[in-house]
């Protein structure tokens, strides 16, 4: 409905001789074309800031529209991607940046962590541990979360597998179903589940 409303407002600008269906398809396809964007622009494109329990300040959670491999290549290497993530956090006043990347050709998503400074490394380490140690550490409220059930997190966790070849960038592959909607709540909540899980 929102797309239809926007399209109706743009109708006056529709190129002559182009069918409505084709123009609509062209517009929606263009929305996902990020080939012209820099890493910094990608970090800003779909970003949410949130506090992480147990730490001061806010963490930037960026849903990247590129794969981890594409982002590393665009940055000029893994170390440079880490540096750009850190610079982004410093410039915008975040303690850390957490990026979740689009699904790659093998079907896996990825996540990477970069503290703004080395002094902020404990924030990034805590977020990483909260995701890595799931489902054993899930807070009670997330044990009842429908998305956690449907994405299999209660059974399989987030499925973090280290990408050690990208060091010093702290990057991991993720299970394909994982989204920022499930990543962010676990990353920000400090409480752990009861021992009975």
């Amino acid at each position: 409905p929102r797309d239809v409303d926007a399209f109706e407002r743009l109708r006056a600008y529709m190129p002559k001789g182009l069918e409505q269906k084709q123009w609509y398809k062209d517009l929606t396809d263009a929305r996902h074309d990020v080939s012209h964007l820099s890493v910094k622009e990608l970090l800003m494109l779909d970003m949410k800031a949130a506090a992480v329990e147990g730490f001061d300040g806010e963490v930037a959670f960026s849903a990247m529209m590129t794969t981890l491999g594409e982002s590393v290549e665009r940055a000029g290497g893994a170390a440079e991607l880490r540096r750009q993530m850190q610079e982004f956090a410093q410039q915008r006043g975040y303690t850390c940046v957490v990026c979740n990347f689009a699904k790659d050709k093998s079907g896996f998503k990825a996540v990477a962590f970069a503290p703004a400074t080395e002094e902020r490394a404990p924030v990034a380490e805590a977020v990483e541990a909260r995701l890595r140690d799931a489902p054993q550490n899930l807070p009670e409220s997330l044990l009842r979360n429908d998305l956690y059930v449907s994405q299999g997190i209660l059974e399989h966790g987030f499925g973090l597998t280290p990408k050690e070849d990208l060091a010093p960038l702290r990057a991991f592959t993720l299970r394909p179903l994982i989204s920022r909607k499930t990543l962010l709540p676990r990353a920000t909540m400090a409480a752990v589940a009861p021992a009975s899980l």
Side-chain angles (χ1 to χ4, degrees), residues 10 16 29 33 47-48 51-52 56 65 71-72 88 99 108 111 121 125 130 151 158 171 177 182-183 192 196:
L10 293 172
K16 297 211 185 300
D29 289 348
D33 179 11
M47 191 272 303
K48 295 190 184 318
V52 171
D56 64 333
M65 294 183 72
S71 299
V72 166
F88 177 79
C99 295
F108 287 95
V111 63
E125 291 164 2
R130 291 172 187 184
Q151 291 184 10
F158 292 94
L177 292 176
T182 50
L183 206 74
V192 296
S196 61

Side-chain angles (χ1 to χ4, degrees), residues 10-84:
L10 293 172
R11 184 182 296 280
Y13 303 99
M14 188 167 88
K16 297 211 185 300
L18 191 62
E19 289 188 30
Q20 179 176 318
K21 274 186 173 180
Q22 183 59 49
W23 195 50
Y24 182 79
K25 182 185 179 314
D26 292 348
L27 288 173
T28 55
D29 289 348
R31 185 176 66 180
H32 297 287
D33 179 11
V34 295
S35 59
H36 60 289
L37 299 179
S38 68
V39 170
K40 182 179 179 181
E41 291 167 329
L42 287 167
L43 288 166
M44 291 187 293
L45 187 62
D46 188 1
M47 191 272 303
K48 295 190 184 318
V52 171
E53 286 182 7
F55 298 93
D56 64 333
E58 288 189 316
V59 172
F61 290 87
S62 295
M64 303 292 277
M65 294 183 72
T66 52
T67 67
L68 174 59
E70 291 165 346
S71 299
V72 166
E73 184 177 324
R74 190 168 298 198
E80 180 60 17
L81 177 58
R82 181 179 190 267
R83 188 196 68 73
Q84 289 184 37

Side-chain angles (χ1 to χ4, degrees), residues 120-133:
R120 292 301 196 164
V123 180
E125 291 164 2
V127 171
E128 179 185 320
R130 291 172 187 184
L131 298 175
R132 183 191 60 233
D133 297 343

